[in-house]
């Protein structure tokens, strides 16, 4: 029986999400599926009869945060449903913590229910559209593989229909997501890979921009030239999230990442040669069990050599059931020290970079309400721009950058809605 029918009659349901864009997308789908099944989605946990926790377990820290929230909800006497990666990869742990019967909803079950309706809520003017579940990777440290499994690409027609429906309902930013977007179509016989899919999506009528999610260097390389051509479309943010994980080939081999540092550098150089104004986002894992001090310094050198615009740094933590769990872990203090060093280097580089755009004027698509008032928008390179003015979500305008932090820009708008044609026109003048 589909999970949405597992409740004794219509319920008031509150949802909370941990983790990545794919999980946020799953929550938006869960809301639509539950509503279609006759339940009511409530904003506040206090008004809920049932709370669904859409979980992530990519690191030990996240696992502990999820378990803490579960115990709090239990203490509040709430009926709890656990969805997401932990529900698939750590069932025993959850039944131990929650004691006895607990409704677990895996990512695959969410997709199954979604495929019935292919209806998904919008987050304001943002829509999150999954293009595949699982991946081709065999990364030695990754628990996500256990939760989301082998690559299953969704049919191009489904994705096109989902994007059209979201745009028709007012979406201006489409976040396409997967564990590895550049692996899209490798499991299909129709020859439609990510570049071809992007060409079909950008051919759609409408006023929207696409942000492409995470891409593993190993699956980017075989499609790099076509990908560069597809990203030429003004409807695609020049944002490339390509996790490198380490600057040492020995560590990448131990991680089973299936590419070399030189491959990553080739990808970044090609992206920058084609798009002078773009955002390269990457991830580093520091303190992998086999990582020596010298190999760690290779990551520092790679960071300095490549200057990614956005860097996520994670300390290695052994995940249950992974190959890396069997390796002797490094001392926590060494992992902390390496994380501090790499973070400091990244901070210096990003301050240098963001201050360089102060005083310039960029076209910005307004996509979110600011947490402390004002709005948040994205420029064509998907940089975050905060504007302390009340501007309509989905509008586009020129913004003069007045200051910058290491992670976002702040600006003043010359607001007269230049609409997306204007945004695209402005975008091409950058
Ligand atoms: S590509 Fe590797 S890190 Fe990414 S989800 Fe797959 S196994 Fe995990």
């Amino acid at each position: 029986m589909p999970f949405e029918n597992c409740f004794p009659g219509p319920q008031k349901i509150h949802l909370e999400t941990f983790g990545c864009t794919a999980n946020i997308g799953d929550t938006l789908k869960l809301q639509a599926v539950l509503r279609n099944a006759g339940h009511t989605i409530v904003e506040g946990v206090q008004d809920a009869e049932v709370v669904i926790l859409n979980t992530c377990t990519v690191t030990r820290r996240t696992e502990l945060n999820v378990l803490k929230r579960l115990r709090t909800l239990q203490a509040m006497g709430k009926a709890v449903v656990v969805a997401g990666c932990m529900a698939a990869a750590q069932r025993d742990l959850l039944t131990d913590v929650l004691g006895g019967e607990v409704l677990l909803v895996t990512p695959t079950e969410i997709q199954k229910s979604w495929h019935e309706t292919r209806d998904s809520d919008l987050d304001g003017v943002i829509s999150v559209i999954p293009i595949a579940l699982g991946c081709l990777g065999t990364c030695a440290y990754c628990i996500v593989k256990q939760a989301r499994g082998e690559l299953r690409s969704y049919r191009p027609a489904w994705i096109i229909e989902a994007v059209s429906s979201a745009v028709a309902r007012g979406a201006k930013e489409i976040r396409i997501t997967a564990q590895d977007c550049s692996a899209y179509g490798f499991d299909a016989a129709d020859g439609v890979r990510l570049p071809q899919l992007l060409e079909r999506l950008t051919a759609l009528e409408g006023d929207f921009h696409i942000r492409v999610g995470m891409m593993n260097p190993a699956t980017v390389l075989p499609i790099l030239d076509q990908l560069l051509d597809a990203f030429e479309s003004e409807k695609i943010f020049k944002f490339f999230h390509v996790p490198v994980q380490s600057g040492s080939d020995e560590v990448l081999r131990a991680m089973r990442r299936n590419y070399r540092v030189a491959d990553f550098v080739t990808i970044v150089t090609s992206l920058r040669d084609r798009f002078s104004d773009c955002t390269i986002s990457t991830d580093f894992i520091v303190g992998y069990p086999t990582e020596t001090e010298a190999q760690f310094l290779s990551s520092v050198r790679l960071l300095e050599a490549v200057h990614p615009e956005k860097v996520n740094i994670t300390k290695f933590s052994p995940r249950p059931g992974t190959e890396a769990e069997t390796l002797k872990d490094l001392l926590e203090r060494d992992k902390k020290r390496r994380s501090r060093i790499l973070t400091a280097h990244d901070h210096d580089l990003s301050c240098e970079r963001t201050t360089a755009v102060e005083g310039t004027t960029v076209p910005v698509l307004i996509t979110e309400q600011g947490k402390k008032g004002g709005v948040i928008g994205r420029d064509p390179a998907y940089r975050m721009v905060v504007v302390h003015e009340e501007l309509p979500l989905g509008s586009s305008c020129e913004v003069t950058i007045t200051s910058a932090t290491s992670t976002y820009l702040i600006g003043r708008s010359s607001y007269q809605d230049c609409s997306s044609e204007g945004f695209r026109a402005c975008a091409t003048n950058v």
Side-chain angles (χ1 to χ4, degrees):
M1 179 197 294
F3 74 87
E4 62 270 24
N5 303 330
C6 292
F7 304 98
Q11 301 285 312
K12 289 193 189 118
I13 301 180
H14 171 71
L15 293 97
E16 296 178 6
T17 310
F18 287 80
C20 64
T21 306
N23 244 20
I24 294 166
D26 282 354
T27 296
L28 294 172
K29 286 194 304 256
L30 277 170
Q31 289 180 182
V33 166
L34 290 161
R35 200 177 292 110
N36 291 337
H39 304 292
T40 307
I41 305 301
V42 293
E43 281 307 306
V45 67
Q46 66 286 352
D47 311 322
E49 292 157 316
V50 176
V51 179
I52 298 185
L53 220 55
N54 192 7
T55 62
C56 168
T57 187
V58 75
T59 66
R60 174 72 173 148
R61 167 55 41 215
T62 322
E63 175 192 312
L64 294 173
N65 292 343
V66 168
L67 294 178
K68 186 165 168 239
R69 184 62 184 151
L70 282 173
R71 293 190 179 98
T72 306
L73 291 168
Q74 261 199 320
M76 291 165 70
K78 295 292 175 187
V80 179
V81 172
V82 180
C85 288
M86 202 181 261
Q90 296 175 288
R91 301 178 81 83
D92 300 347
L93 172 69
L94 290 167
T95 37
D96 290 353
V97 169
L98 294 168
E101 280 306 298
V102 55
L103 180 55
L104 302 178
V105 185
T106 68
T108 304
E109 285 160 339
I110 296 173
Q111 309 316 322
K112 262 211 208 95
S113 293
W114 177 65
H115 277 321
E116 306 307 318
T117 62
R118 283 205 291 291
D119 187 3
S120 174
D121 279 10
L122 292 186
D123 181 6
V125 294
I126 297 171
S127 177
V128 179
I129 306 282
I131 61 171
L133 189 65
C135 68
L136 295 170
T138 56
C139 306
Y141 54 82
C142 180
I143 193 172
V144 179
K145 185 76 184 190
Q146 295 169 42
R148 294 180 178 248
E150 281 306 323
L151 177 69
R152 282 146 290 163
S153 301
Y154 300 153
R155 295 194 200 136
W158 281 350
I159 300 165
I160 291 165
E161 184 197 320
V163 171
S164 309
S165 148
V167 171
R169 287 178 288 129
K172 295 287 185 186
E173 177 182 336
I174 305 288
R175 295 180 181 172
I176 61 167
T177 183
Q179 275 62 62
D180 180 7
C181 289
S182 42
Y184 179 77
F186 274 76
D187 58 330
D190 60 9
V192 178
R193 300 282 168 77
L194 183 60
Q196 291 76 29
L197 177 69
L198 290 174
E199 277 149 15
R200 293 184 186 189
L201 294 178
T202 51
L204 288 172
E205 281 305 305
D207 206 354
F208 64 93
H209 286 78
I210 294 174
R211 186 199 79 172
V212 177
M214 207 158 35
M215 300 185 280
N216 182 322
T219 51
V220 168
L221 273 177
I223 59 170
L224 182 54
D225 293 341
Q226 296 163 306
L227 204 56
L228 292 169
D229 294 344
F231 264 81
E232 287 281 1
S233 165
E234 296 150 2
K235 279 190 172 178
I236 304 182
F237 287 109
K238 304 303 176 272
F239 171 82
F240 305 92
H241 183 190
V242 186
V244 67
Q245 305 301 17
S246 175
S248 152
D249 282 339
E250 292 78 17
V251 174
L252 290 178
R253 260 195 303 281
M255 288 175 167
R256 303 203 186 295
R257 289 289 285 170
N258 304 328
Y259 54 83
R260 298 160 307 135
V261 173
D263 299 325
F264 173 74
V265 175
T266 300
I267 292 169
V268 172
T269 311
S270 309
L271 295 173
R272 290 212 170 114
D273 287 351
R274 180 72 74 97
F275 306 107
S276 58
D277 185 36
C278 69
T279 295
I280 306 285
S281 171
T282 196
D283 305 0
F284 282 95
I285 293 176
V286 295
Y288 192 72
T290 62
E291 184 187 69
T292 64
E293 200 61 27
Q295 290 163 348
F296 164 65
L297 293 175
S298 309
S299 290
V300 176
R301 282 195 297 279
L302 178 64
L303 178 82
E304 289 175 338
V306 169
H307 273 219
E309 279 76 16
K310 192 174 177 326
V311 178
N312 311 304
I313 298 165
T314 307
K315 285 183 294 139
F316 170 79
S317 61
R319 305 310 296 128
T322 63
E323 187 188 330
E325 185 195 19
T326 63
L327 303 173
K328 184 170 178 334
D329 202 3
L330 296 181
L331 296 173
E332 193 56 29
R333 69 165 182 270
D334 288 332
K335 291 193 254 185
K336 275 197 180 132
R337 179 178 51 75
R338 290 177 187 179
S339 176
R340 267 199 310 275
I341 292 168
L342 201 60
T343 304
H345 279 272
D346 173 50
H347 185 264
D348 298 347
L349 290 168
S350 45
C351 286
E352 230 179 80
R353 209 183 11 261
T354 48
T355 41
V357 288
E358 282 180 26
T360 62
T361 297
V362 291
V364 170
L365 177 62
I366 306 299
T367 53
E368 297 168 67
Q369 295 294 349
K371 293 195 176 51
K372 302 190 191 91
V375 290
I376 294 170
R378 300 284 175 169
D379 74 357
Y382 206 69
R383 282 179 287 254
M384 181 191 277
V385 182
V386 173
V387 181
H388 296 300
E389 298 160 36
E390 298 312 324
L391 302 175
L393 292 191
S395 65
S396 304
C397 56
E398 299 263 297
V399 174
T400 301
I401 305 304
T402 51
S403 63
T405 72
S406 60
T407 52
Y408 62 89
L409 309 174
I410 300 161
R412 192 186 54 249
S413 89
S414 58
Y415 181 68
Q416 79 280 346
D417 183 3
C418 64
S419 78
S420 273
E421 276 66 38
F423 176 82
R424 282 200 279 280
C426 311
T428 47
N429 300 337
V430 169

